[in-house]
Amino acid sequence: MPFVSRLLRALAALGIAALAGCGSGDFEEPVAFEAPETLVTYEVVVEGAPSEEIAGLIEESLLLYRRQEDGAQSLAFLRRRAEGDVATIQKILRAYGYYRAEVTTKVRAVEPPAEATAAEAGEDAAAAPSDGADHAAAEAGEGAAGTDGPIESEAVAEVVITPGPAFTLARHDFALSGFEPSPSPALGPAAAYGSPVGAPAAAAAIVAAESAVVAAMREQGYGYAEARGRDAVADLERAEIEIDSSVETGRRYRLGAISFSGAPNVSEEYLRTYLRFGPGDLADRALLSAYQRQLLGTGLFRSGIVSLPETPPEGEVAPVTVQLEERPFRSVSAGARFSTDEGPGIRLGFQHRNLFGANERLDLTLDASIDEQVFNSTYRKPQYLRDGQDFVAEAEARRIEDDAFDEIGGTLTAGIQRKLSPRWTVGFGGLFEGSIIDDGETEATAYLFGIPLSAQYDGSDDLLNPTTGQRFGIELIPFGGLFDGRGVGFLSVDARASLYRRLDEDGRWVAAARTRLGAIPSGSLDDIPATRRLYSGGSGSVRGFQEDFVGPLDENNDPIGGRSVFELGAELRFPIVGDLGGVAFVEAGTVSTEIFPDFEEGMQVAAGAGVRYYSPIGPIRVDFGVPINGRDADDAFQFYISIGQAF
């Protein structure tokens, strides 16, 4: 045995030496295999798609399109790629009811134009040596050189679709099974659930109808209902298809006890204020999903799941489990802005979102610039006394040095805000304000009581960057109190509206418009403290004019405000490149000392342009505005930097 072992080792050594070329005494470097180079660039041609929608879906799905930039290693490789896409195309066509579609592919090389070939041959002939031997040597050299790299070629991959007729869904029935107790749950015709009976048998619509039936069963208490597939029979001659879908309902359940976990710092009593169901109600999963969305909408949780047990429980009662994960309740924020009329400004904020364990929110904000410092504290308690109703209290202290007036003062407000629907919010409350006001001529003290009433509608799609929808808001505040030692009373009405429309599918091109109308019915402008008069101009109204400078000015060219205001504005938002966009705007406004806007002196108009950087926290805005019919007292332009769209 030792002899055999030594013999095998010797033979192996001889074999290795032979493979390694041991006669030279050196091992050769291992062969390096380079990645294959693209030899074929190609175009894709698809013919016969029955609709633009199907053609677009094919273009998104085919490997021919998705790998087109990479090219192909050879024509044979490209043919295999095209043939592999046939199944994908047929699947797409069947999804739209085309069950007899035929798909063929063809790959052909694109020959260079004859003129180009002749020209190349002429150039080669002109460059060739006159001596025959030299000519032969040149050809040999060129042939050798030509083998150094791949020869690129062009090709066309053609896909021809013969869709045939779109099959009609002649019948669609649902078979229910597994239900307890008897009798069978009520079920309407398939068309009532969106099934395309009598129309093309689009797969997406058929599957959606099955999902709708499952949802209907779950609403009736069959919380574990599931679709169990379908049987289809096609009539090829009549181009019709009949489908029987199976739905297993399972036992009918009623909801049991509701338990919470994962939220030790949030009051369970508060979480239960959002419940729209209770023990004994039918086990409708849609109710659980709605409750889950409301809990996540509080802003207190990173995640949350409201669910029934994973497997059907014994008996007829299914308990509900609410699993939550809290998010941090405290946050700080900081921001900056700049405008040519107000100069630089900063905004610092602190927020506590769960002050006493029931989502009570405290916001502390310091907003400061060179001429204006405002400290605001807002307390909000949600679900106050009833669902969808908040108690809001606010305290504000401010110091303002403005062209219109100087003020040192503060305001206290408290009231109720109630959500009538996802779009509509109304509010009412009480207000007290005390101020020392210097309007440039006299200094006066004002003590005012008010009753704020408001209604807001927000039908837009985004708070900071709306691209579609509309907004509307109106605020009415009856005031009474003392101003400059005498009793005063007046009503302030201020209404605003804005409209947004997408001009393309992606919402990168947006047309936006806004308007404002305000009035203060009172005996005289002198009865209204300067802090409560109506003003226009600046970043949030008529860009291009200084803050509050639209309207009448006094002998020192300072704005005096008015008893009525009217504004109009329009803006076009468009993409530039990547996350950078642009805007072009025109805005106009007028302020009058009368209780109705006075258009005899015309409106002050401004126009301008700007850029938007669409950051994760919202659009960062840079605007440049110019007065069109500015006065001597108006600046030549205004420049603004802030976060969020102008409106």
Side-chain angles (χ1 to χ4, degrees), residues 129-492:
S130 58
D131 183 82
D134 292 341
H135 180 69
E139 286 183 342
E142 288 176 0
T147 61
D148 289 343
I151 303 174
E152 293 190 3
S153 62
E154 297 181 1
V156 174
E158 296 179 346
V159 179
V160 179
I161 300 171
T162 306
F167 274 53
T168 299
L169 181 59
R171 179 182 61 82
H172 190 186
D173 291 335
F174 287 90
L176 303 181
S177 63
F179 48 85
E180 295 182 33
S182 297
S184 170
L187 189 65
Y193 300 95
S195 178
V197 177
I206 293 170
V207 172
E210 293 173 345
S211 299
V213 170
V214 170
M217 292 298 97
R218 291 181 175 183
E219 288 178 1
Q220 297 183 40
Y222 298 89
Y224 293 88
E226 289 185 359
R228 294 298 187 185
R230 67 198 66 84
D231 294 322
V233 177
D235 186 331
L236 299 182
E237 292 184 0
R238 302 176 63 180
E240 292 181 347
I241 189 168
E242 297 181 351
I243 294 180
D244 291 289
S245 297
S246 299
V247 175
E248 184 175 337
T249 63
R251 180 185 294 273
R252 190 179 193 183
Y253 287 94
R254 293 192 177 272
L255 297 176
I258 304 168
S259 60
F260 296 84
S261 64
N265 298 302
V266 181
S267 165
E268 184 176 313
E269 181 181 356
Y270 165 71
L271 297 177
R272 290 181 179 274
T273 63
Y274 292 98
L275 284 171
R276 300 295 174 272
F277 56 85
D281 291 340
L282 291 176
D284 183 359
R285 289 181 182 267
L287 293 176
L288 306 187
S289 297
Y291 182 50
Q292 177 177 305
R293 288 192 298 270
Q294 285 190 302
L295 293 182
L296 293 177
T298 63
L300 296 176
F301 308 108
R302 282 197 180 98
S303 62
I305 300 175
V306 181
S307 61
L308 299 175
E310 290 187 9
T311 58
E314 297 292 332
E316 298 181 359
V317 177
V320 178
T321 301
V322 182
Q323 297 176 308
L324 302 168
E325 182 184 358
E326 294 178 351
R327 60 178 292 194
F329 299 135
R330 299 172 182 84
S331 63
V332 295
S333 61
R337 66 181 186 278
F338 176 82
S339 65
T340 48
D341 57 347
E342 294 183 330
I346 61 169
R347 183 181 179 90
L348 305 176
F350 168 81
Q351 185 180 86
H352 195 306
R353 286 176 291 275
N354 195 40
L355 196 61
F356 302 119
N359 200 17
E360 301 91 347
R361 195 172 76 188
L362 176 67
D363 287 279
L364 304 177
T365 305
L366 174 63
D367 202 333
S369 62
I370 297 175
D371 298 327
E372 183 174 329
Q373 301 86 43
V374 179
F375 178 76
N376 183 280
S377 173
T378 302
Y379 171 79
R380 179 181 293 269
K381 180 176 177 56
Q383 299 293 91
Y384 180 70
L385 300 180
R386 61 176 298 165
D387 178 53
Q389 184 167 278
D390 296 356
F391 171 77
V392 183
E394 184 176 351
E396 180 180 281
R398 58 189 173 271
R399 175 184 175 275
I400 299 174
E401 293 182 358
D402 189 73
D403 290 316
F405 58 84
D406 296 343
E407 179 196 17
I408 297 177
T411 304
L412 299 174
T413 60
I416 299 295
Q417 287 186 359
R418 184 175 172 186
K419 213 166 183 60
L420 301 179
S421 72
R423 300 294 190 184
W424 279 99
T425 303
V426 297
F428 66 92
L431 172 154
F432 172 74
E433 182 173 277
S435 302
I436 301 174
I437 305 167
D438 185 349
D439 62 4
E441 296 182 357
T442 60
E443 183 177 284
T445 303
Y447 300 100
L448 298 176
F449 295 88
I451 303 175
L453 306 170
S454 65
Q456 307 285 335
Y457 173 84
D458 190 346
S460 65
D461 61 336
D462 189 270
L463 179 63
L464 293 177
N465 184 35
T467 63
T468 186
Q470 49 278 329
R471 295 173 180 171
F472 169 78
I474 184 170
E475 184 179 52
L476 295 86
I477 308 179
F479 282 102
L482 295 174
F483 174 49
D484 198 19
R486 65 184 188 278
V488 295
F490 55 92
L491 172 67
S492 176

Side-chain angles (χ1 to χ4, degrees), residues 363-643:
D363 287 279
L364 304 177
T365 305
L366 174 63
D367 202 333
S369 62
I370 297 175
D371 298 327
E372 183 174 329
Q373 301 86 43
V374 179
F375 178 76
N376 183 280
S377 173
T378 302
Y379 171 79
R380 179 181 293 269
K381 180 176 177 56
Q383 299 293 91
Y384 180 70
L385 300 180
R386 61 176 298 165
D387 178 53
Q389 184 167 278
D390 296 356
F391 171 77
V392 183
E394 184 176 351
E396 180 180 281
R398 58 189 173 271
R399 175 184 175 275
I400 299 174
E401 293 182 358
D402 189 73
D403 290 316
F405 58 84
D406 296 343
E407 179 196 17
I408 297 177
T411 304
L412 299 174
T413 60
I416 299 295
Q417 287 186 359
R418 184 175 172 186
K419 213 166 183 60
L420 301 179
S421 72
R423 300 294 190 184
W424 279 99
T425 303
V426 297
F428 66 92
L431 172 154
F432 172 74
E433 182 173 277
S435 302
I436 301 174
I437 305 167
D438 185 349
D439 62 4
E441 296 182 357
T442 60
E443 183 177 284
T445 303
Y447 300 100
L448 298 176
F449 295 88
I451 303 175
L453 306 170
S454 65
Q456 307 285 335
Y457 173 84
D458 190 346
S460 65
D461 61 336
D462 189 270
L463 179 63
L464 293 177
N465 184 35
T467 63
T468 186
Q470 49 278 329
R471 295 173 180 171
F472 169 78
I474 184 170
E475 184 179 52
L476 295 86
I477 308 179
F479 282 102
L482 295 174
F483 174 49
D484 198 19
R486 65 184 188 278
V488 295
F490 55 92
L491 172 67
S492 176
V493 183
D494 205 337
R496 303 169 188 260
S498 55
L499 179 69
Y500 312 93
R501 287 292 180 266
R502 292 184 179 184
L503 303 180
D504 66 340
E505 293 183 359
D506 298 331
R508 299 295 302 276
W509 286 83
V510 177
R514 68 171 190 87
T515 187
R516 176 193 177 198
L517 178 62
I520 302 178
S522 66
S524 169
L525 184 66
D526 295 334
D527 294 333
I528 308 169
T531 54
R532 285 294 171 178
R533 295 174 185 174
L534 297 173
Y535 299 90
S536 179
S539 176
S541 56
V542 183
R543 286 166 286 178
F545 285 90
Q546 294 166 255
E547 189 77 16
D548 300 339
F549 256 69
V550 170
L553 307 177
D554 62 16
E555 61 273 11
N556 297 319
N557 286 328
D558 291 329
I560 64 174
R563 294 191 293 164
S564 62
V565 62
F566 179 70
E567 295 174 356
L568 281 174
E571 185 171 271
L572 177 65
R573 304 168 188 167
F574 52 88
I576 297 178
V577 60
D579 292 327
L580 197 65
V583 300
F585 60 85
V586 58
E587 295 174 330
T590 182
V591 174
S592 175
T593 58
E594 303 298 324
I595 62 174
F596 296 105
D598 183 3
F599 298 100
E600 291 184 1
E601 298 182 1
M603 299 181 68
Q604 288 165 272
V605 182
V611 295
R612 303 287 185 270
Y613 171 66
Y614 294 98
S615 73
I617 62 173
I620 297 176
R621 172 166 66 103
V622 178
D623 284 338
F624 180 85
V626 177
I628 301 300
N629 55 347
R631 303 155 298 188
D632 292 340
D634 296 317
D635 291 341
F637 65 89
Q638 296 294 328
F639 182 73
Y640 312 94
I641 302 176
S642 62
I643 295 178

